[in-house]
Amino acid sequence: MDNEVAIPGGIPPVEELLESAVVVRLPMRTRFRGLLAREVMIFAGPAGWGEFGAFVEYDDAEAANWLRAGIEAAYLGPLPAVRSTVTVNATVPAVPADQVAEVLSRYPGARTAKVKVAEPGQHLDDDVERVAAARAVVDRVRVDANGKWSVAQAITALRAIGPVEYAEQPCATVEELAQVRRAVDVPIAADESIRKAHDPLRVVAADAADVAIVKVAPLGGMRATLATAEAIGLPVVVSSALDSAVGMAAGVAAAAALPRLDLACGLGTGSLFTADVGPSFLPDDGRVHPRWFDAGSSLISVDDQFVAPPDRDRWWRARLRRCHALLQRNGQDT
């Protein structure tokens, strides 16, 4: 899909981005997505701060979308909001069941929980117990397997787990999602099959999903996210990509700008960090409020202990140069 949005004057020079760039390593409360700390680069532009935080294992072609999203934030700023708050879900990592209530206590007022399942090294019984523990605290539970189950495993697991709001990316491929959707009564949500796909609309053509999970950074920005959501035509959940407060600001801005938003969004993950680049988006009565880190914001103050070491700083700067070159080569203005 061609969702690029032009910046007046074109993509900014790479040296301009690097001049204000800071690489941070943000510690996390518990292991999430295999990480105990999250590295991201932030940089400033005329409209505010942007984030470049593609996961380190992603290749440059995929990471370039994340850079495009950061440039959009820093140079174009947020979209006009149509709502003043965004309802969010709690996020429960693959912790033991007896720790679930403690995790949920960090999301005051949240009535929906997304529970991670299919963690390598764990068993289905762990998933069943974790989900049951979440059900004891909140009204609605959704599960996320990050594509780690086979079709047979997904069908067995979802029947054992029982009713949930939806199962997010139970299997890796669109075809597998369609098979699972036909075999179970649980609604299916597509995440990686949208944000990592060359054609995000395949999930619709294959009748493979009931819900679309959209993430601003992987899709290339707030405006691209809204265009993708409109084209897909399914109920939408805007989620974070384990963003810092800067990246989260763009996610919340996109959610606040959607014409329709009926489901809780995955934009409360600031609770997973013990430190952030600015005030985290922490839920209040299960909601977060849109706000923006403008270019002169004094809120962007990174403690020296959270600045990434020199070798990681060099790695990120080299990566930004490569991704910037890709955006220029592909003629993408953001």
Side-chain angles (χ1 to χ4, degrees), residues 20-22 42-45 47-51 70 73-74 246-247 292-297 300:
S20 62
V22 181
I42 58 173
F43 51 79
W49 286 82
E51 176 178 307
V246 167
W292 198 250
F293 296 104
D294 62 44
S297 175
I300 303 296

Side-chain angles (χ1 to χ4, degrees), residues 111-159:
R111 296 169 179 82
T112 303
K114 180 170 83 168
V115 179
K116 289 289 186 177
V117 294
E119 182 77 2
Q122 294 189 6
H123 303 285
L124 178 55
D125 288 346
D126 299 312
D127 295 336
V128 171
E129 292 171 5
R130 189 180 307 114
V131 172
R135 281 198 190 102
V137 180
V138 297
D139 300 331
R140 291 177 294 277
V141 175
R142 49 184 67 158
V143 296
D144 181 9
N146 288 116
K148 293 189 177 78
W149 283 326
S150 67
V151 170
Q153 288 171 330
I155 293 170
T156 298
L158 293 176
R159 287 174 177 168

Side-chain angles (χ1 to χ4, degrees), residues 33 52-69 191-198 216-220 241 319 322-323 326-327 330 332:
R33 204 185 173 277
F52 175 42
F55 293 110
V56 296
E57 67 270 21
Y58 289 4
D59 64 22
D60 291 348
E62 187 169 358
N65 264 350
W66 299 60
L67 177 57
R68 183 155 57 91
D191 174 10
E192 287 89 345
S193 290
I194 293 173
R195 64 180 169 89
K196 294 174 76 71
H198 177 70
V216 166
L219 288 173
R319 188 189 207 190
R322 296 194 306 271
C323 291
L326 281 177
L327 292 181
N330 293 335
Q332 298 179 8

Side-chain angles (χ1 to χ4, degrees), residues 154 158 165-171 176-182 184-190 208-212 234:
L158 293 176
E165 185 178 36
Y166 60 70
E168 182 175 329
Q169 202 70 39
C171 303
E176 289 172 325
L177 294 187
Q179 291 179 58
V180 173
R181 186 169 180 261
R182 289 193 296 268
V184 300
D185 294 329
V186 175
I188 301 300
D210 304 279
V211 175
L234 295 172

Side-chain angles (χ1 to χ4, degrees), residues 1-93:
M1 295 179 63
D2 185 12
N3 294 328
E4 289 81 23
V5 179
I7 291 176
I11 185 171
V14 66
E15 297 300 337
E16 185 174 313
L17 298 177
L18 290 171
E19 183 178 0
S20 62
V22 181
V23 181
V24 296
R25 177 176 288 174
L26 304 175
M28 304 182 66
R29 297 182 188 280
T30 188
R31 187 178 298 277
F32 187 83
R33 204 185 173 277
L35 300 173
L36 287 173
R38 177 74 164 108
E39 282 187 359
V40 301
M41 172 182 275
I42 58 173
F43 51 79
W49 286 82
E51 176 178 307
F52 175 42
F55 293 110
V56 296
E57 67 270 21
Y58 289 4
D59 64 22
D60 291 348
E62 187 169 358
N65 264 350
W66 299 60
L67 177 57
R68 183 155 57 91
I71 294 172
E72 178 205 43
Y75 283 78
L76 293 182
L79 294 160
V82 300
R83 59 185 58 81
S84 60
T85 63
V86 174
T87 302
V88 298
N89 64 247
T91 299
V92 180

